[in-house]
Amino acid sequence: EAGGAALGRAADKLFSLSGLFAVRKPKGPTSAAVLNLLKERLLAEAGVQTNGNKRNQVLKIGHGGTLDSAATGVLVVGIGKGTKMLGTMLAGSKKYTAIGMLGKATDTLDATGKVTEEKPYDQVTKGDLENVLQKFTGDIMQVPPLYSALKKDGERLSTLMKRGEAVEAKPARPVRVYSLSLQQFQPPLFTLDVECGGGFYVRSLVNDIGKELSTCATVQELTRTKQGPFTLEEHALQEDKWTIDEIARSLEHCTALLLGEPARKKLKTEHPGETAVICE
């Protein structure tokens, strides 16, 4: 019986968790798959039968903004009442480090896609690249990628594309780039640090930079280093820390973090089609 009592306590603790924390998303799975894995781990640790559904409690968990499958880094997770706070995460600022490759374009705008174009890039200098970055800083217009989590008639554009359906590009929309800097230039590779607002696509940025330099470019690697107050180094839980106790500890730490955040007011209508993903 002792084991059962301990499991009961673990389950009680799990279902009482509430707030926002961050996990480190590995390369490969979708953000939704990472959330499902996290959820499975927690329910298994608490000994909760998911299929038999003995407990009628639902574990509410969601994330505050999709990262591409090939991308890694900070994925903000809401649990319990925290799921209601995810909307502010979508709208807030995010930081990324991206490695781009000159001379190649792909259909997905990243390394997972099929190469659609190859162009010479040896004429591009470090100075050219730095000058072009100024054009992409501030309030700019951006066309989102065709392969994206944005929806048309309730289905993701990426799903429609993979089925071979004709998908029209979404219209350009206003996005904000707080800062953009070149960290490294070793042609064909270049590394950028970007801080941007909601609804921004780093893949589109790198693609647009390539065009602006009269060549083409695609994202090789993408890491989200910060979202809202959550940083990759300090707050994102590695997979071995996806436990009830570690998350409880992280939630305490993160609540203090969020209280210290300056509130960025954001209109709800700004980016329709981007909603916090909540799994139940």
Side-chain angles (χ1 to χ4, degrees):
E1 267 309 287
L7 278 178
R9 276 199 300 279
D12 288 342
K13 185 165 185 179
L14 174 60
F15 286 105
S16 71
L17 294 178
S18 188
L20 295 179
F21 62 101
V23 297
R24 175 189 274 261
K25 181 196 165 299
K27 195 171 183 165
T30 62
S31 295
V34 169
L35 219 58
N36 285 331
L37 178 64
L38 174 68
K39 196 171 169 174
E40 273 170 35
R41 289 266 183 95
L42 294 174
L43 290 169
E45 187 192 342
V48 178
Q49 303 283 316
T50 40
N51 43 11
N53 208 2
K54 286 192 310 204
R55 297 176 77 95
N56 293 326
Q57 278 171 293
V58 173
L59 181 62
K60 274 185 90 170
I61 196 165
H63 70 72
T66 306
L67 266 179
D68 297 334
S69 312
T72 67
V74 176
L75 188 65
V76 174
V77 178
I79 192 164
K81 291 196 181 74
T83 51
K84 293 187 173 62
M85 300 155 74
L86 290 169
T88 57
M89 283 293 124
L90 283 167
S93 89
K94 303 160 185 72
K95 281 186 183 171
Y96 296 91
T97 297
I99 299 176
M101 181 188 245
L102 292 169
K104 277 197 174 121
T106 67
D107 54 359
T108 58
L109 312 188
D110 69 11
T112 65
K114 287 195 281 289
V115 176
T116 52
E117 197 182 8
E118 294 197 49
K119 278 186 161 182
Y121 59 86
D122 33 2
Q123 72 285 4
V124 177
T125 66
K126 188 178 182 189
D128 293 339
L129 195 45
E130 285 174 332
N131 288 339
V132 158
L133 296 187
Q134 292 169 13
K135 293 188 182 180
F136 294 99
T137 307
D139 290 315
I140 61 167
M141 297 298 285
Q142 185 186 68
V143 177
L146 285 175
Y147 279 89
S148 71
L150 297 177
K151 293 185 175 167
K152 178 194 171 198
D153 305 329
E155 279 206 273
R156 285 175 173 237
L157 293 186
S158 50
T159 310
L160 296 170
M161 291 286 293
K162 282 172 192 157
R163 274 216 303 268
E165 294 192 25
V167 175
E168 249 179 79
K170 293 259 181 189
R173 53 193 196 168
V175 290
R176 180 167 288 181
V177 180
Y178 296 102
S179 67
L180 177 57
S181 60
L182 181 64
Q183 297 302 315
Q184 249 186 329
F185 184 57
Q186 289 172 303
L189 300 179
F190 60 97
T191 305
L192 302 175
D193 274 352
V194 190
E195 184 175 6
C196 54
F200 184 86
Y201 281 90
V202 179
R203 285 181 291 138
S204 290
L205 169 72
V206 167
N207 183 58
D208 291 344
I209 286 170
K211 287 182 187 158
E212 196 69 39
L213 291 165
S214 306
T215 176
C216 46
T218 190
V219 168
Q220 288 302 104
E221 280 184 42
L222 182 61
T223 306
R224 182 153 65 199
T225 55
K226 190 169 193 265
Q227 181 170 7
F230 300 97
T231 67
L232 188 54
E233 284 78 38
E234 284 185 81
H235 312 110
L237 296 176
Q238 300 268 22
E239 222 179 298
D240 58 347
K241 296 225 164 101
W242 294 1
T243 64
I244 296 169
D245 285 346
E246 286 287 353
I247 289 169
R249 198 170 302 143
S250 192
L251 285 168
E252 271 178 50
H253 183 58
C254 294
T255 308
L257 202 69
L258 289 160
L259 292 173
E261 258 297 85
R264 277 211 176 108
K265 279 240 166 86
K266 193 86 172 193
L267 294 172
K268 276 249 168 84
T269 55
E270 192 143 332
H271 294 299
E274 271 190 87
T275 47
V277 184
I278 299 178
C279 318
E280 291 199 345

